[in-house]
Structure formats: structure tokens, C-alpha cells
Amino acid sequence: GDAKLIAAFQGLAKAQRNFNKTTQRVTRDTGILGNTFSVIRSKILLFNFAIGVLGVRALADFSRQAAKVQSMSRAFDTLSGGVDKGSAALGKLRRATDGTMDDFSLFQQANNAMILGVTKNSSEMAEMFDVAQRLGRALGRDTASSVESLITGIGRQSRLMLDNIGIIVKADEAYEEYAKKLNTTADKLTDAQKKQAFFEATMESARQKVASLGVETLSSVDSFDRFIAASKNTAVALGDVLLPSITSVLDGIVDLSDELRGVFRLARDGRKDFNLFNTEIETFSAGIDGLSVKE
């Protein structure tokens, strides 16, 4: 409950303070090598204990995911023309997919669509997400993979990707049909015109297939997808709150490692008996391995 979460935060903060003290001690007491390593070893053991008991690694995973979402969100805002426009566009995509895609997947596929140049505005993108979801549902596919198939299929003119959601488009026929609209021939189309021709043919085919499915009705599978998407978004929201603390701890570990390299060099240059030193090195390395956040 809340008490456990508060306790976890308090434990994380305490561990961070201990590591900061350790870093300062390493910088100040490099001449007392043995004592320094003893302090480091004790702090590592305490911090590993906190990780095992409080589940900080799981929280760190949430924070890492939140960092990715933040980065993708900034790219989305830039590509879609600013934060205000980006927020409005994201809302359209959430509604278009009925909440069955988590924000990470929405940002990922929206950015993919804009980078590949397959959409000109958020309304067009929302329609693409909507028809992809409905076609994918009919074939037992989840929304995220269906949207990816449509966007990548159009962007790369991949018949295999479009076939995943039941769309069959022949590029040559699409070029010829589009050329007729322009009163020209297919061989005279530019690359941009060919991409537009393929897009229009794909969306026309998708609209026809969606129309044949009738009125959209959310299924029990959609309910599960919405639950999963909401859970992922909640985890990211928690990670967003934890992110400053987690990054502070990680930065502290990096700083500690940087300081210790200087200690190691002093020991290498000034000590002849390396047996004890090597033992301490191995202990420290094992501790650092324990602190690493696993992928």
C-alpha cells in the first residue's frame, strides 16, 4: 500500500545519501586505501539489501521506461508542431484506438508515421490508427502490431506488412490509377507521387474492408488491451515521479566509479603488495555488478 511505497522512497533516499557520503569519503581519504574499500564494501552490502527488500529494481524499470516515453514525447511534439498541437494529436490517437494502446506505443508509431512521411496531419493519422485497430481485431491481432503493420506497410510500400491486416495493394496498379488522375503516365510519376499513390490505394482498400465489418463494437479482448495499456501508463507515471531520485542514484554510482579509478591508479603506482588490493578490487566489482539495473 501507500505505507510500503513511502518506505521504499525513504529507503531509496537513505541509500542515495549513503552513496553520496561514500563518494565524498573516497575523494577525501584516498591515502587510507584499506579503510576506503571497507566503507565502500559496507555501503554496497547495505544498498544491495535495500534493492532486494524494497524492489527498487522494479521501480528503476518504471523510471527507465518513463525516460524513454519522455524522449519520444519530445520528438512527437517537435514532429507534430509543438507541445499544444502534440497534446491534441495524442488525444485524437487515444480516442481512435479506444485506449487499447499505451502511450509508449502511441508515441512510437506516431513518430514512425511522421518520420516515414505517411501522414500530413493528426486527423489523417487518427483514421489510420482506427482502421488498423479494426482490421487487426478481425484477424485476432492487437492494436499496436496492427498499427505498425499499416504504417510501415505504407511507408515502405511493403505488401507483406499490409497482408498482416488483410490489405492487398499492388503498387503498379496504384501508380497507374493515380497517374490517370493527374493526366499522365505511371512512368512519369515522381517518388513523392508514387508514395502518395500507394497511400491512397492502401487507405481506400482499408476503408472498404472496415465498412464491410459494420459498426465498431469493442470486444472482451479490447477490454484486456485497455487494462494492459492503462497499467503500463500507470507504471510510467510512477516511474516519472521516481525518475529524479533514480537518476541521482545512478549518477552517484558513476561518480563513485570515476573517483575510484583515481584511487586504483594511486594504488597501482604506490604499492608493491597487490594481494590485498586485488581482493578488494574483486569485492568492489561484485558489488557494482549487484547494483547494475538489469535490462
Side-chain angles (χ1 to χ4, degrees):
D2 291 340
K4 290 184 178 179
L5 185 59
I6 291 172
F9 290 163
Q10 291 173 341
L12 183 62
K14 182 178 179 180
Q16 180 182 344
R17 289 194 298 270
N18 287 341
F19 258 93
N20 288 340
K21 291 178 182 178
T22 300
T23 304
Q24 294 170 1
R25 208 168 287 169
V26 169
T27 305
R28 186 178 63 247
D29 297 333
T30 54
I32 312 174
L33 190 61
N35 289 339
T36 299
F37 278 119
S38 296
V39 171
I40 292 168
R41 183 169 59 247
S42 66
K43 300 305 179 185
I44 286 172
L45 292 174
L46 286 173
F47 196 72
N48 276 339
F49 177 78
I51 286 175
V53 173
L54 302 177
V56 175
R57 269 191 189 147
L59 300 180
D61 286 338
F62 296 160
S63 296
R64 185 171 62 249
Q65 192 73 354
K68 290 180 180 179
V69 172
Q70 284 183 7
S71 178
M72 295 170 71
S73 174
R74 286 192 292 271
F76 179 79
D77 290 339
T78 300
L79 291 169
S80 58
V83 176
D84 293 336
K85 291 183 179 179
S87 298
L90 185 62
K92 287 183 181 180
L93 299 182
R94 285 174 177 155
R95 291 189 294 273
T97 55
D98 302 297
T100 56
M101 282 178 71
D102 61 278
D103 286 353
F104 177 89
S105 299
L106 282 175
F107 282 131
Q108 186 179 50
Q109 295 310 320
N111 290 350
N112 187 30
M114 288 185 284
I115 289 172
L116 289 175
V118 299
T119 60
K120 295 185 290 294
N121 55 66
S122 59
S123 296
E124 192 173 71
M125 188 187 300
E127 182 191 11
M128 292 179 66
F129 278 47
D130 180 43
V131 298
Q133 177 196 15
R134 297 185 64 184
L135 292 175
R137 181 193 294 127
L139 296 174
R141 295 176 62 90
D142 64 277
T143 304
S145 66
S146 300
V147 171
E148 181 180 14
S149 291
L150 180 60
I151 290 173
T152 306
I154 293 175
R156 304 192 184 283
Q157 299 191 28
S158 170
R159 293 179 60 182
L160 287 176
M161 292 295 289
L162 294 176
D163 187 58
N164 289 335
I165 50 176
I167 298 176
I168 299 175
V169 178
K170 295 181 179 180
D172 291 341
E173 292 181 3
Y175 298 158
E176 290 175 4
E177 190 67 26
Y178 190 73
K180 289 179 182 178
K181 295 180 181 180
L182 301 180
N183 294 318
T184 186
T185 57
D187 61 306
K188 294 181 180 179
L189 294 177
T190 65
D191 289 341
Q193 289 171 332
K194 288 181 179 179
K195 179 177 286 189
Q196 183 64 25
F198 194 84
F199 169 78
E200 291 187 7
T202 301
M203 291 303 296
E204 181 60 29
S205 176
R207 292 185 189 106
Q208 291 176 2
K209 289 183 179 294
V210 165
S212 69
L213 295 175
V215 178
E216 181 177 24
T217 303
L218 298 182
S219 66
S220 57
V221 174
D222 290 305
S223 296
F224 278 104
D225 287 344
R226 292 174 68 181
F227 170 74
I228 292 171
S231 298
K232 289 181 177 179
N233 287 340
T234 301
V236 168
L238 174 58
D240 202 36
V241 173
L242 292 172
L243 191 56
S245 296
I246 293 292
T247 54
S248 179
V249 171
L250 295 178
D251 289 343
I253 293 173
V254 172
D255 291 341
L256 176 62
S257 298
D258 290 341
E259 293 293 342
L260 283 172
R261 280 200 293 271
V263 176
F264 296 160
R265 284 194 293 271
L266 288 174
R268 178 196 62 197
D269 297 337
R271 295 185 59 170
K272 295 181 180 179
D273 184 4
F274 287 96
N275 292 331
L276 176 59
F277 179 67
N278 288 336
T279 300
E280 299 289 3
I281 288 289
E282 292 172 359
T283 302
F284 174 74
S285 297
I288 289 297
D289 290 339
L291 290 175
S292 299
V293 178
K294 306 297 183 185
E295 287 291 339

